[in-house]
Every structure is written in structure tokens, then in C-alpha cells.
Amino acid sequence: MRKTTSTNTINKEQLEANCGIAYTNSILNGRWKLSILAFLLDEKTLRYSELKNRLTGISERMLITKLKELQMDNLINRISYPEVPPRVEYELSEKGKSLKNILVQMAEWGTKNSTV
């Protein structure tokens, strides 16, 4: 983790505050966040175990971390039900739903331009 007073951190914060692409990239960066958002876009709500099963290769620790980051960025909502055993579901927040067009366009672009 970087120091909050480092030049690198200050430059990053200024860039994200003044450039929409940099801000969007900082929120959606990493291997798993876009996949989590895409699954929630398709399925509306998913339980933790359903997300874990769809994200082949993700560790429990990584999934928990990415879900917390998406919550902190207000892109997803965590719904906890007071049941035994406990049940937790995730859904896109309004802010997360506003990414729909971007996610669809990224998927279309990737399909069209993928060489794999």
C-alpha cells in the first residue's frame, strides 16, 4: 500500500479527479471486478456461492476483497438475510446499473476483436 502523502498517490488522485477514463479504470481495474459486474448484470442477484462457482479460479480471499471494493465504490449492494444458515446476496446498485452500456460495449468489442 502506498503512503497517502507520496507523490505517486497525489498524482493518481489528481488524475482520477480530472480524467473520467482514469477514474473509471481505477474503479473497474483488476481481473475479477468486470466479471462480477457482468454476472450481476445478467442474473440480477447472486449468492456468494453462486458468484464463486461462476468465477473459475478465484480464491475465497480474492472474491471477498473484490466484493468489498465494489461495495465501497457503491457499485454493488450486499443483502444479508437473518437466517440459519446465513444467506447473503449481491446485486448491482443504481450506480452499478449505470455501467450497463459500458459493460455491453466492452463485451461486444472483445467478442469482435478477440483473436483467441
Side-chain angles (χ1 to χ4, degrees):
M1 177 163 276
R2 292 186 189 125
K3 292 182 188 177
T4 57
T5 57
S6 74
T7 303
N8 197 358
T9 298
I10 293 168
N11 289 342
K12 180 181 179 292
E13 289 171 355
Q14 287 179 346
L15 180 61
E16 289 171 7
N18 295 306
C19 177
I21 291 174
Y23 172 74
T24 304
N25 185 55
S26 73
I27 296 295
L28 301 178
N29 69 350
R31 178 184 308 173
W32 302 108
K33 286 183 180 180
L34 288 171
S35 295
I36 292 168
L37 293 170
F39 285 131
L40 291 174
L41 182 66
D42 286 343
E43 301 290 331
K44 306 301 180 223
T45 60
L46 288 171
R47 294 179 73 165
Y48 175 87
S49 59
E50 293 171 321
L51 280 167
K52 176 93 171 78
N53 290 337
R54 283 172 171 76
L55 296 164
T56 305
I58 193 169
S59 68
E60 299 246 350
R61 181 178 171 214
M62 182 60 68
L63 179 54
I64 290 167
T65 299
K66 295 307 167 190
L67 289 170
K68 285 181 180 179
E69 289 174 6
L70 289 166
Q71 279 181 265
M72 287 183 351
D73 291 329
N74 297 314
L75 295 177
I76 64 170
N77 297 320
R78 181 181 188 270
I79 306 158
S80 182
Y81 297 92
E83 300 174 354
V84 177
R87 179 169 56 117
V88 176
E89 293 180 342
Y90 295 90
E91 66 180 8
L92 291 178
S93 66
E94 288 305 311
K95 184 177 178 182
K97 289 175 186 175
S98 73
L99 290 168
K100 179 180 180 177
N101 291 338
I102 293 169
L103 295 173
V104 168
Q105 288 176 346
M106 288 176 73
E108 289 171 353
W109 188 91
T111 299
K112 181 179 175 182
N113 293 288
S114 175
T115 59
V116 178

